[in-house]
């Protein structure tokens, strides 16, 4: 599903409501018949991944560390990531076309590379629903096409993909 509109139209707000990170002023958002606001963050994160358009990073995390954050909802309390989790990260980096950046600092990547890493993190999270907020905002035309092709592939596999865009030609 594509959510299309100009800057400031409420696309990001809608996605935040769908992800359960913002509380509606009226009504409720249901996921699998349950109010998403009543779910704890770990439960929500097992069902929905949210790729924000904010690519700033305060702490000096490596790409591997950023991507392993996507595994959080699948780990037990105090459980460390497994070799399988790290292998999944490497597969997703390869899938998005960034196979050799896992040890680089996230803040040292270009804006487009950061967008692709955040898309990979959403995939590493292994949810049935992906919410993508302006996923191609920092990408060149080749990578923009790639991210939307990957999104279509995920939808064909049965995942729900909701993407916001403001550019009609991209839509």
């Amino acid at each position: 599903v594509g959510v299309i509109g100009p800057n400031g139209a409420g696309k990001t707000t809608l996605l935040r409501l769908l992800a359960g990170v913002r509380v509606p002023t009226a009504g409720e958002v249901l996921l699998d018949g349950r109010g998403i606001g009543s779910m704890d963050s770990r439960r929500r994160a097992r069902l929905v991944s949210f790729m924000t358009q904010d690519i700033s990073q305060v702490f000096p995390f490596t790409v591997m560390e950023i991507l392993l954050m996507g595994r959080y909802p699948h780990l037990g309390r105090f459980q460390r990531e497994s070799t399988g989790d790290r292998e999944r990260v490497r597969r997703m980096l390869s899938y998005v076309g960034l196979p050799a950046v896992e040890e680089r600092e996230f803040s040292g990547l270009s804006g487009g590379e950061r967008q692709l890493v955040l898309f990979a993190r959403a995939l590493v999270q292994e949810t049935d629903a992906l919410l993508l907020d302006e996923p191609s905002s920092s990408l060149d035309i080749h990578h923009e096409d790639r991210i939307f092709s990957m999104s279509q592939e995920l939808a064909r596999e049965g995942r729900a993909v909701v993407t916001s865009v403001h550019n009609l030609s991209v839509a």
Side-chain angles (χ1 to χ4, degrees):
V1 172
V3 179
I4 304 164
N7 291 331
K11 300 179 304 294
T12 297
T13 300
L14 174 63
L15 292 181
R16 287 180 180 160
L17 287 164
L18 294 175
V21 297
R22 189 149 182 203
V23 179
T25 55
E28 65 180 324
V29 176
L30 300 177
L31 182 62
D32 285 340
R34 291 187 48 212
I36 197 162
S38 67
M39 296 178 191
D40 66 39
S41 61
R42 186 179 298 266
R43 172 87 174 123
R44 274 195 320 263
R46 285 186 193 129
L47 299 171
V48 178
S49 54
F50 178 47
M51 178 186 161
T52 179
Q53 61 180 305
D54 178 18
I55 59 173
S56 62
Q57 187 62 41
V58 176
F59 298 102
F61 290 116
T62 65
V63 169
M64 175 63 81
E65 291 167 330
I66 293 288
L67 287 168
L68 285 173
M69 290 176 193
R71 298 303 301 155
Y72 159 78
H74 303 287
L75 301 176
R77 191 175 179 108
F78 303 115
Q79 183 180 358
R80 304 271 312 157
E81 300 87 2
S82 69
T83 304
D85 292 324
R86 291 179 183 283
E87 187 52 42
R88 176 147 182 85
V89 163
R90 289 182 186 102
R91 279 195 318 271
M92 291 304 107
L93 277 174
S94 211
Y95 180 66
V96 300
L98 297 174
V101 300
E102 69 184 65
E103 295 306 320
R104 288 183 53 194
E105 198 169 295
F106 182 76
S107 62
L109 301 176
S110 72
E113 288 171 324
R114 287 184 198 181
Q115 285 290 104
L116 290 169
V117 167
L118 293 177
F119 183 68
R121 183 177 66 186
L123 299 178
V124 163
Q125 200 170 325
E126 290 187 287
T127 62
D128 288 334
L130 289 100
L131 305 174
L132 309 175
D133 190 13
E134 300 284 351
S136 64
S137 62
S138 298
L139 299 178
D140 61 39
I141 194 160
H142 169 71
H143 286 101
E144 180 178 79
D145 182 55
R146 183 172 169 88
I147 206 164
F148 286 116
S149 294
M150 289 184 287
S151 296
Q152 287 176 325
E153 183 179 312
L154 293 166
R156 281 192 296 275
E157 291 173 1
R159 290 188 178 176
V161 181
V162 180
T163 305
S164 70
V165 294
H166 68 273
N167 185 335
L168 282 177
S169 64
V170 169

